[in-house]
Amino acid sequence: MKRFKLFALFLCLIFCLSACTQTELPDDPSESLGDSSLPGSDIISQSKTEPEPYKITLNDELMKTNNANRRNGGYIMEEERYIVYRNPVDNGKLYRYEKATGAVKVLYNTTALNGFLHSIQFFDNKIYFVTKAESDESPTLYCTDIEGETLERLIENVGDDYIVTDDMIYYTTARENDGGIFYLYRYDRKRKESALMRPGQCEYLNLVGNELYFVDYTFTGESISSGRGIICKINVITNEIEPIQITDEIGNAIDNCERLFYFNDSLYFDSYIGPFGEGISSLCVYNLDTQKMEVLTDTQKLYSLTQTDDFEIFQFYVLDRSDIYIYLSGIHDYAIIQLKDGEIIVHKEYNINTDHLGYRSHNLYLLNNSPVVYGSTEIIGGEKLMVKAGEI
């Protein structure tokens, strides 16, 4: 019996020694934290990993909203968490407003005179905008991240319009040496080179496949609306230009087009329909498939609302074919109306008899599915955005 006990004890001793050599622990317990073979080590390592930076998020509705906001000057853009905008009460600095908390942050502190900053866009997790810093000789296209921590200077001499793609940036110039403005260029993002596409006035760019639709607008300088705009398209591969022949119901050519917006196979634009100097300010739609034009409304049809002929259709906002906001601009007044399912809805917060800043003094935007009027000193309907960083 004693021999058996001694033999059993000997076997246990051998087993314990072999087990210790197989699972030998490190001298420093911290050495095991990065070993993925140990149970639970992945959880520990995750807790030490820095959180992923926030990514700009746009759903289909926000993409549609921002596309229309871009058309009206691009002072305000919206994504799921933030609103990015030019703050009119803080020298035009680029601001970020958090919708859930109301927290604001300055993303770009422009040093340009009069807070020159416009044409804000989102693309590929970056915020693009045009400004003119003290070091810039002309308006320049920049981009930054959602935190405003990185800033990239992209293209000099950029006008009101540009379209960013993965390979190219299509843009109009601020002014050419010969005095012309809004000539059309393409910028190769890999080569970092610009090339002239069209030496003539091009406004309101809309990229559809390989076709870039625009208004060929001969600006005479006689007034802010001088010239007669013709809708054209240019193939971005071949540079071939083709005018779009648009006629009214009785066959008269439409050659006084202005603000152009592409939506669902149609071109929306405002124009004076009728003889030159006597036309009626109208909002029109042209279907690219049927090649038919329709007047959606005009100031004559809206006379019962305005009781004056002094208004014109200045800006519009297409949410759908049956849901459109219109900015009516007068000499001293303005109004916001909505064409929805065949009815005219007047937004009373934008009163026709405001006697505010007058002719074309504001821009129309949409935030959280509600109209917002952006002015040089105010944001009507978006007053919460007027707070300055550090005040809350």
Side-chain angles (χ1 to χ4, degrees):
M1 179 65 71
K2 288 182 179 180
R3 288 180 179 179
F4 176 77
K5 290 182 177 180
L6 288 172
F7 180 72
L9 181 62
F10 179 73
L11 289 177
C12 288
L13 181 61
I14 293 174
F15 176 77
C16 290
L17 289 173
S18 63
C20 288
T21 58
Q22 290 176 9
T23 59
E24 190 175 43
L25 295 176
D27 294 334
D28 185 357
S30 64
E31 292 178 8
S32 67
L33 296 181
D35 188 351
S36 60
S37 66
L38 295 178
S41 66
D42 57 336
I43 300 175
I44 296 174
S45 63
Q46 287 177 12
S47 66
K48 296 187 70 176
T49 302
E50 291 294 326
E52 289 291 328
Y54 179 77
K55 184 177 177 62
I56 295 174
T57 306
L58 299 170
N59 55 35
D60 291 342
E61 285 300 313
L62 285 171
M63 290 181 67
K64 182 170 65 174
T65 295
N66 285 329
N67 194 22
N69 281 346
R70 177 175 65 86
R71 174 57 55 238
N72 290 346
Y75 291 126
I76 298 177
M77 287 287 160
E78 181 181 9
E79 60 99 55
E80 288 193 355
R81 181 173 174 180
Y82 298 113
I83 297 170
V84 178
Y85 62 106
R86 176 192 181 276
N87 194 335
V89 294
D90 198 7
N91 198 36
K93 297 175 185 175
L94 184 67
Y95 265 61
R96 186 193 73 186
Y97 176 90
E98 188 169 17
K99 292 186 276 188
T101 65
V104 295
K105 180 178 181 179
V106 177
L107 299 181
Y108 176 75
N109 183 1
T110 177
T111 56
L113 296 176
N114 301 320
F116 181 84
L117 191 148
H118 61 85
S119 299
I120 303 167
Q121 294 186 35
F122 295 131
F123 182 81
D124 193 25
N125 207 34
K126 294 285 187 180
I127 305 166
Y128 290 75
F129 57 95
V130 176
T131 189
K132 185 179 179 182
E134 290 180 347
S135 57
D136 295 326
E137 294 184 0
S138 60
T140 301
L141 181 64
Y142 287 83
C143 71
T144 186
D145 62 280
I146 194 67
E147 297 296 335
E149 294 177 352
T150 62
L151 182 67
E152 186 177 358
R153 189 174 184 269
L154 296 169
I155 312 172
E156 295 179 344
N157 194 27
V158 176
D160 294 344
D161 245 330
Y162 66 90
I163 295 177
V164 185
T165 70
D166 290 328
D167 302 319
M168 298 286 179
I169 299 177
Y170 303 98
Y171 68 98
T172 59
T173 53
R175 183 171 291 277
E176 293 294 310
N177 293 332
D178 62 0
I181 57 176
F182 303 141
Y183 284 11
L184 181 61
Y185 281 78
R186 71 160 60 90
Y187 174 79
D188 190 310
R189 304 190 69 181
K190 293 180 181 179
R191 296 181 180 179
K192 299 186 182 302
E193 295 177 350
S194 289
L196 178 65
M197 294 179 65
R198 182 176 186 273
Q201 311 295 77
C202 299
E203 298 192 46
Y204 309 120
L205 308 181
N206 292 265
L207 184 62
V208 185
N210 288 330
E211 305 288 347
L212 194 63
Y213 290 87
F214 65 94
V215 177
D216 178 358
Y217 188 65
T218 304
F219 185 77
T220 65
E222 295 173 2
S223 70
I224 194 171
S225 59
S226 62
R228 298 176 68 83
I230 301 172
I231 296 176
C232 300
K233 67 177 179 179
I234 182 171
N235 187 291
V236 298
I237 306 299
T238 66
N239 269 21
E240 293 181 359
I241 299 175
E242 178 185 344
I244 308 299
Q245 303 293 339
I246 301 178
T247 58
D248 60 18
E249 296 177 350
I250 59 176
N252 294 323
I254 305 300
D255 61 355
N256 193 25
C257 307
E258 292 195 19
R259 201 169 302 269
L260 180 67
F261 181 72
Y262 172 84
F263 180 75
N264 280 1
D265 299 319
S266 294
L267 298 174
Y268 293 79
F269 61 95
D270 57 294
S271 176
Y272 276 84
I273 305 298
F276 185 66
E278 301 177 7
I280 300 172
S281 180
S282 309
L283 177 62
C284 309
V285 58
Y286 177 79
N287 188 286
L288 293 174
D289 293 329
T290 64
Q291 299 183 357
K292 298 293 184 182
M293 189 204 76
E294 180 184 352
V295 176
L296 298 175
T297 192
D298 57 42
T299 51
Q300 205 170 57
K301 296 177 182 177
L302 298 172
Y303 185 85
S304 60
L305 168 68
T306 63
Q307 296 297 307
T308 177
D309 292 325
D310 291 336
F311 279 93
E312 70 169 0
I313 294 172
F314 171 44
Q315 292 183 343
F316 56 88
Y317 197 113
V318 181
L319 290 175
D320 192 78
R321 176 67 171 74
S322 59
D323 192 2
I324 301 173
Y325 287 89
I326 297 176
Y327 177 120
L328 290 174
S329 178
I331 301 302
H332 300 292
D333 315 314
Y334 70 92
I336 304 300
I337 65 170
Q338 184 180 8
L339 304 180
K340 187 171 179 60
D341 299 324
E343 296 184 7
I344 299 176
I345 302 172
V346 181
H347 288 267
K348 295 180 180 179
E349 61 270 32
Y350 314 107
N351 195 309
I352 286 177
N353 298 314
T354 56
D355 195 23
H356 250 59
L357 298 179
Y359 183 68
R360 297 189 175 194
S361 57
H362 295 73
N363 294 71
L364 174 63
Y365 297 102
L366 208 71
L367 288 179
N368 296 320
N369 297 317
S370 297
V372 168
V373 175
Y374 182 99
S376 59
T377 60
E378 60 189 351
I379 305 178
I380 302 174
E383 292 87 355
K384 61 186 179 182
L385 303 179
M386 304 269 280
V387 65
K388 294 183 180 181
E391 290 186 354
I392 59 173

